[in-house]
């Protein structure tokens, strides 16, 4: 069952997301709470003002090549460890963030901001954010739910974005079946299921982009919820040497 | 609500999947039925025997480079229009299939086969498969459900596979919000949601790799179900000129 959490107020700095979520939905053991990156970032002050941004030479040059706002490009460069692709014609910048995510514009988002000249950065440590919200949920409700921090990313080769997990706590993001048998006992050699990403995608199905539901409870997946916080989404990132597409 | 369809028998050539699914679950208007590629392929005879495969010189050479079975490599080449990446060290072949999917081993699967030396190819036309199953479902139940044919694909940059849509009917695989406003009326410039892929991912959450549930009903997404079959998943494929990662 996938339950949107209605009625959350506007999120501001130091807002207790877990408490607000627990106050608006009856949580139960084994729940997974998917929280949109945007409200997590807002609660952590990861919001910048473009009208207070002074872009440097590199940002100005790259902005001219891609026909983007140099102030936004400055923040993209600040948030990135490397440029992966620059598509001048379509104005696309794909970068690797300091966390290791590969996505457009370092994941910086200008939709659904509070002010007109604002942009929202990814959380500094999305796994840490998930752990923090997990504690907040438990403190407010007594329930030790799992938490997945989600964001919509584009993909290579396929049009359209899917919601993926950028941080998690209380759920192993990868369900590793390698070495186990299939229905006929044949060994599965390559099966690692990206459970947290699939939870993120499922959560996105119950909202529209305009209705602003930033938290969703995915219920009935108790078998994926762990006592420990677990390794977080950092383990999902391929090392550059292990990655055929950068 | 996500409902696994229990009790389906072993699928053989010309098996009426829609009738069997409709006989094992009470369908209702607005349902989306996710069907695993493997049973679709089996029902369409897309099964080959490796012990009856005579690999050619190209397959033998590529198999030697990647330490793979030359008979499997012959089928990978048969099913592909181009090689995208060859990782000799890890024995990985990423190809573009004749449909335009970019995936490992042209999507050929050797797990959960019926015979020991069998391999299962992707359907020739997964959108056509989805349309066919949609008709079968309607004939058997009177309900015009949407159908998504799903398979698990790996991704660039991230470990783990997610279930994605390789074919669909009765659902638009892409929900395009470009040009519409966000909550504050700011135009969304890049938001295209891969709805069918997210339905596929959600469907995968209710099964394990060994319990063999090949059909799952995703209920409550009536707003995504269309009277027409729609464009199918073919529209999700990026043109090579429009793709930064091949």
């Amino acid at each position: 069952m996938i339950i949107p959490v209605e009625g959350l107020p506007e999120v501001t700095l130091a807002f207790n997301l877990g408490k607000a979520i627990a106050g608006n939905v009856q949580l139960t053991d084994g729940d997974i709470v998917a929280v949109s990156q945007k409200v997590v970032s807002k609660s952590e002050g990861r919001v910048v003002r473009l009208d207070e941004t002074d872009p440097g030479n590199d940002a100005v040059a790259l902005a001219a090549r891609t026909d983007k706002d140099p102030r936004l490009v400055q923040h993209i460069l600040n948030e990135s460890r490397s440029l992966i692709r620059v598509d001048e014609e379509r104005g696309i910048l794909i970068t690797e963030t300091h966390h290791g995510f590969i996505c457009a514009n370092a994941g910086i988002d200008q939709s659904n901001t509070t002010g007109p000249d604002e942009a929202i950065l990814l959380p500094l440590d999305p796994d840490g954010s998930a752990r923090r919200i997990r504690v907040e949920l438990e403190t407010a409700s007594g329930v030790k739910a799992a938490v997945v921090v989600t964001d919509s990313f584009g993909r290579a080769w396929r049009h359209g974005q899917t919601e993926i997990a950028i941080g998690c706590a209380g759920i192993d993001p990868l369900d590793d079946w390698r070495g186990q048998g299939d229905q006929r006992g044949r060994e599965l050699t390559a099966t690692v299921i990206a459970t947290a990403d699939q939870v993120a995608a499922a959560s996105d199905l119950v909202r529209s982009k305009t209705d602003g539901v930033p938290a969703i409870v995915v219920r009935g997946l108790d078998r994926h919820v762990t006592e420990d916080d677990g390794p977080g989404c950092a383990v999902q990132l391929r090392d550059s040497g292990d990655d055929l597409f950068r």
Side-chain angles (χ1 to χ4, degrees), chain A residues 12 58 129 138 143 176 189 202 213:
Chain A
T12 50
D58 287 354
S129 306
E138 189 178 9
V143 171
D176 192 344
T189 53
V213 173

Side-chain angles (χ1 to χ4, degrees), chain A residues 8-19:
Chain A
L8 292 177
E10 183 71 32
V11 172
T12 50
L13 182 62
F15 185 83
N16 187 320
L17 273 168
K19 183 178 173 187

Side-chain angles (χ1 to χ4, degrees), chain A residues 92-109:
Chain A
I92 296 173
L93 279 179
I94 310 284
T95 76
E96 181 179 11
T97 68
H98 292 297
H99 330 82
F101 299 122
I102 293 178
C103 57
N105 299 334
I108 299 175
D109 198 334

Side-chain angles (χ1 to χ4, degrees), chain A residues 155-185:
Chain A
R155 290 93 43 93
W157 317 312
R158 291 173 77 76
H159 289 297
Q161 293 111 39
T162 57
E163 200 79 3
I164 63 160
I166 63 168
C168 67
I171 178 173
D172 195 324
L174 297 173
D175 190 12
D176 192 344
W177 287 79
R178 286 174 299 181
Q180 299 187 56
D182 69 8
Q183 284 176 270
R184 288 185 176 72

